[in-house]
Amino acid sequence: MTLKFKNRIAWFNTIAAAASTLLVFAAVYGVVHHTAYQHLDNDIREEQEDVFENLHFQGDSIVLRESVEWTEKEHQQVEVNPIFLQIADLENKPVFLSSNLKNERLWCDVSLPDPGFFNRQFDGKQIRLGQFPIRTNTGKIVGQLSVGVSLVESALLLHNLLITLLIAFPLLTLIVFLASSFAASRGIAPIHQLIKTAQNIDDQTIGTRLPLPARQDELYRLATTINELLTRIESSLSREKQVTANISHELRTPLAGIRGTLEVLLRKPREPEQYAQKIEYVLQETDRLNKLLEQLLHLSRLDAGAVPSHLDTIDLQAFVANILEKWSPIVAEKQTSVDCNIPSSATVQADAGLLEIIVGNLLSNALKYGNQGGKIHISWSDAAKTLTFEDDGPGISAEQLPFIFDRFYRTDASRNVRIPGTGIGLAIAKKLADLQRIKMQATSEPGKGAHFILQF
Ligand code: ADP
């Protein structure tokens, strides 16, 4: 059985309250019990002192002074708070019996060396009995004094108290449970409100936020945390939508181009050169599509964490020179001068294959977005352990800079000048850098080119 949260709180409160109540009740009962018996025992002692004052000895025999007067004075009152007196010698023969004893005898242990208090039955009723050895002036025990007082009233008082406590305990426990349950349900009412609102949030209503409680307590923090989480989910959903829209756009554009070209070709017979030209265009667009799909595949493999990275010690100067060699036809075509300032001592720890993709991407972007006949500067800082790619192209505006590592993001400038691209290259490069713990950043002053920095 699973208890509701409010009932669990109520149970904890009730158990704590019941344990405290039990302790208090036990203490009350104990104190009353002790006081009642102490009171009776004090009465008995007073009586004993009274009797001992009136005792006199003749040898080992006990003689009562003022016996008659004393008997009349106190022990005629049989019914009202009776005190029973009995003096017995060492053979348990009575020397004195108060008249309220009638024909009965009080319990007596003649061998008792010290005073003692006992609960005994007398004439069918409970009595408190004090027994005191009677000693002569020399200290010799010559008899026993027994003083009995009725226990009925005290026993009744204690019995009534016990019954009252036993009835009060479950009642109090029940009241505490109901009160705690009510207080707990009031306390968690705002949680129900949060649950209700949260249940209604779906893809369409992801902009909804939980109402914040008036007091800045734990519930307030919970609602704020959930609201922050919703904000993150909302922006991730909107990025996902944007990525899907971008993929569709990137796929549709070349497909539309291919289809349009083929339709035009079919409309009427053409010269062989025209066919060759259109087929060339279709092939270019197919290549573009192919590249896009390859990059998407690459990204999804990276997302799944499928690309292993083994760190090697790389001689950076030779490594970059080798990549530049591969790109030399495009560098020549763009008439770009590449100035590489990497000392022969520069080494880094990286996965050579993955680093080649990153460097290739930065070089290709610098060539693509840099000016025709411009300059690319590649440099290494040994102090900062950074490899920097600088170009002299249009650069990237401060507003667009934070997004260039997002998938499919392309700056307005690069879209407008129709530089071919998919907006995936930097996303892949960034992901590969992260995999090797290489920090990748971009800075730019619009009009003065872009700087891409790899920090190892
Ligand atoms: P792609 O070049 O295929 O569009 P990237 O992911 O490599 O995709 O780059 C994302 C965007 O960042 C580019 O579309 C471009 O707008 C901008 N960008 C990247 N490198 C540069 C650069 N060197 N100069 C100016 N803009 C750049």
Side-chain angles (χ1 to χ4, degrees), residues 66-300:
E66 310 167 24
S67 158
V68 179
E69 190 189 318
W70 174 50
T71 310
E72 279 173 358
K73 198 169 59 187
E74 295 193 39
H75 308 291
Q76 296 295 347
Q77 305 143 339
V78 178
E79 294 304 329
V80 183
N81 197 20
I83 297 182
F84 306 101
L85 278 184
Q86 171 184 297
I87 300 175
D89 62 16
L90 289 180
E91 280 148 21
N92 206 7
K93 282 195 195 128
V95 175
F96 171 79
L97 292 173
S98 61
S99 57
N100 52 14
L101 281 176
K102 297 181 191 161
N103 296 326
E104 303 280 332
R105 296 282 307 274
L106 293 175
W107 174 86
C108 178
D109 176 3
V110 285
S111 61
L112 199 75
D114 294 308
F117 290 89
F118 314 92
N119 290 348
R120 288 285 178 269
Q121 285 286 324
F122 175 72
D123 201 13
K125 289 178 184 151
Q126 281 249 300
I127 60 161
R128 183 71 171 165
L129 188 74
Q131 200 188 311
F132 306 91
I134 301 171
R135 292 173 193 272
T136 62
N137 295 338
T138 57
K140 186 179 175 196
I141 297 177
V142 290
Q144 295 281 347
L145 165 67
S146 302
V147 182
V149 292
S150 172
L151 247 183
V152 174
E153 270 183 38
S154 303
L156 189 69
L157 173 85
L158 288 172
H159 178 261
N160 285 348
L161 177 65
L162 188 66
I163 297 290
T164 311
L165 296 181
L166 286 178
I167 294 174
F169 178 70
L171 273 178
L172 261 178
T173 309
L174 184 69
I175 292 170
V176 169
F177 177 76
L178 293 176
S180 303
S181 178
F182 175 72
S185 70
R186 294 278 316 256
I188 62 170
I191 295 184
H192 286 297
Q193 180 61 38
L194 293 183
I195 293 173
K196 216 170 131 196
T197 316
Q199 271 173 341
N200 291 329
I201 297 177
D202 56 20
D203 276 13
Q204 306 307 315
T205 53
I206 191 73
T208 313
R209 292 294 174 267
L210 301 182
L212 295 179
R215 272 186 231 110
Q216 301 214 347
D217 51 14
E218 287 86 350
L219 282 183
Y220 183 93
R221 289 219 324 264
L222 176 70
T224 322
T225 311
I226 295 177
N227 280 346
E228 285 165 7
L229 180 69
L230 284 172
T231 306
R232 288 201 295 276
I233 294 175
E234 187 182 8
S235 76
S236 138
L237 272 178
S238 97
R239 264 206 313 273
E240 201 177 294
K241 278 185 193 152
Q242 187 60 45
V243 166
T244 315
N246 286 342
I247 293 180
S248 322
H249 175 79
E250 293 300 329
L251 290 176
R252 211 182 296 125
T253 314
L255 279 176
I258 293 169
R259 188 186 165 84
T261 309
L262 293 178
E263 271 175 356
V264 171
L265 276 186
L266 270 182
R267 236 174 256 154
K268 57 175 186 185
R270 312 214 171 232
E271 294 303 312
E273 303 82 58
Q274 281 180 316
Y275 279 116
Q277 192 192 356
K278 295 292 176 195
I279 289 170
E280 180 67 23
Y281 169 76
V282 167
L283 280 176
Q284 268 174 15
E285 288 301 273
T286 321
D287 282 349
R288 215 180 117 194
L289 271 176
N290 207 16
K291 185 164 181 227
L292 178 66
L293 290 175
E294 250 173 39
Q295 284 182 319
L296 280 174
L297 203 66
H298 200 152
L299 256 186
S300 76

Side-chain angles (χ1 to χ4, degrees), residues 49-56 63-66 70 73:
E49 281 164 15
D50 219 9
V51 172
F52 273 23
E53 270 174 24
N54 288 295
L55 285 186
H56 187 65
V63 180
L64 290 171
R65 268 186 228 146
E66 310 167 24
W70 174 50
K73 198 169 59 187

Side-chain angles (χ1 to χ4, degrees), residues 369-381:
Y369 301 106
N371 293 328
Q372 178 81 19
K375 266 193 189 157
I376 295 176
H377 184 63
I378 306 173
S379 59
W380 169 255
S381 157

Side-chain angles (χ1 to χ4, degrees), residues 285-357:
E285 288 301 273
T286 321
D287 282 349
R288 215 180 117 194
L289 271 176
N290 207 16
K291 185 164 181 227
L292 178 66
L293 290 175
E294 250 173 39
Q295 284 182 319
L296 280 174
L297 203 66
H298 200 152
L299 256 186
S300 76
R301 276 204 222 106
L302 285 176
D303 283 342
V307 176
S309 123
H310 317 279
L311 299 189
D312 310 311
T313 303
I314 295 172
D315 170 357
L316 213 52
Q317 192 187 54
F319 183 79
V320 174
N322 188 31
I323 298 175
L324 280 174
E325 179 66 36
K326 291 184 192 165
W327 285 83
S328 56
I330 302 169
V331 174
E333 189 186 311
K334 257 214 130 174
Q335 296 165 348
T336 307
S337 75
V338 180
D339 154 30
C340 191
N341 187 7
I342 303 175
S344 57
S345 59
T347 55
V348 292
Q349 294 288 316
D351 179 301
L354 302 188
L355 187 60
E356 183 167 345
I357 300 176

